[in-house]
Amino acid sequence: MIPSFSGLQTALRGLTAAQAAIDTTSHNIANANTPGYSRQQVVLTESPEMTLPSLSSNGSASIQFGTGVDVTQISRIRDQFLDIQYRAQNSQTSSASTSTTILNQVQTGLDEPSSNGLSTQLQKFWSSWNDLSNSTTGTSAPAARQAVVDAGSTVAQSLNTLDQQLATIQSQTQTQYQTLTASPSGQVQSDANQIAKLNGQISQMQAAGESPNDLMDQRDQLLDSLSSLANVSVTDQGNGAVQVNFGDAAAPLVSGTTVNWPQTLTAAAGGQLGALINLSDPNSGQIQSYRNQLDTIANQLISSVNSLQPSSAFFSGNSAGTIAVSATATSIQTSSTSDPAGNDLAVSLSQLSGGTTDQTYATFVSKVGNDTASAQSTQATGSSLLQAIDGQRQSVSGVSLDEEMTNLITYQRSYQASARVMNAIDTTLDTLINQVGAH
């Protein structure tokens, strides 16, 4: 015999399943604009069947009798492969964006081509020697000599300023790295601590048979945040927790509820931190290489000019940061002989225009420009790819209000149908118990 109340249980399961689906749909709609939220859905399966003796008089085998539906779990819709793609691209794009921002500062400091750039100041300096070669004696000579000193001072000061600007950018870049990686207040440790805490909470809830979907969304959002700082590799530990490898650090950043920070990173770490290291390293960083090239330019200038001032050096110093004019208007030599009207040294100095110093500086400016353009191109391409991947993620995990409203109507109909079944069974049982028994 079929138990009298089995139909009520079947209808009740239908009501429960429909209610869970309605509640989940409502949760999706409420979080449609929540950053990092993954769409959720109720997973339904047939409830275990009931085995009944055959109702046939010919003694056939027993039969399987359906008992309705069960809610297996509430799952979140997430494509882990797209997450891996997104985080890898996020690291690359963040690295290029950081490089672009800082290299733009370097290029702005050069101010080339312009009337204030070093190339223009060098041309004025060489021209002042040409003017002096035509005014070695007479009333215009003192002014021409002073003009050479002034033009040389402007060049030296321009080199000093450029070196100081590069040093400032280098220092600011180092400070930015230290701020992000500081312990315990930096973003790296802050994100890692939150991931470790969520690992513990998720593990506990999964052990209790619950589905901590919202907590997993929060953890994924933190992993996305970390991926902008350096390359991130995530390994499922099988108990709800994840292990997070960060950049090229020797040990995992997060393992279960344990955080390993601070650790040493290199430029190979990728992301914003890798770019900051690559730019600011005092030994092999990109900005340091620019400073070294600027020192080369300063030394070429000092050497070439001083070699044509045998009695007393025109420039002092040995780098872009220390170069200065040591000559005075009266100590300048225009001739290699004792002839006061001689001008061979002044002519030779004017002919340095377009020479080694100018060419090296032009190459340096071109190098900075090419590096900046390359970073900008990489950033633009990376941003497009990142948006495309994020669009794919949203198409999988994002909430479509139109779809959710359609689902809501479907689940509402299911609830109403189960309720009618329950009402029909209740009426039948009432007839069976109260009316049939009365006759």
Side-chain angles (χ1 to χ4, degrees), residues 239-303:
N239 60 349
V242 296
Q243 175 180 295
V244 182
N245 287 32
F246 185 67
D248 57 351
L253 174 63
V254 180
S255 182
T257 57
T258 302
V259 174
N260 301 308
W261 193 257
Q263 295 191 63
T264 300
L265 301 177
T266 70
Q272 183 179 2
L273 296 180
L276 292 174
I277 295 171
N278 179 61
L279 288 161
S280 67
D281 189 285
N283 298 313
S284 59
Q286 197 166 1
I287 297 176
Q288 186 60 49
S289 73
Y290 293 157
R291 295 185 70 186
N292 294 341
Q293 291 175 59
L294 207 58
D295 286 342
T296 298
I297 293 165
N299 282 319
Q300 288 176 347
L301 177 63
I302 293 168
S303 176

Side-chain angles (χ1 to χ4, degrees), residues 352-373:
L352 292 177
S353 175
T356 301
T357 301
D358 288 356
Q359 292 173 10
T360 304
Y361 180 67
T363 300
F364 168 67
V365 172
S366 178
K367 169 67 173 171
V368 173
N370 289 337
D371 288 348
T372 304

Side-chain angles (χ1 to χ4, degrees), residues 38 126 278 295 350 367 382 397:
S38 301
W126 305 131
N278 179 61
D295 286 342
S350 70
K367 169 67 173 171
S397 300

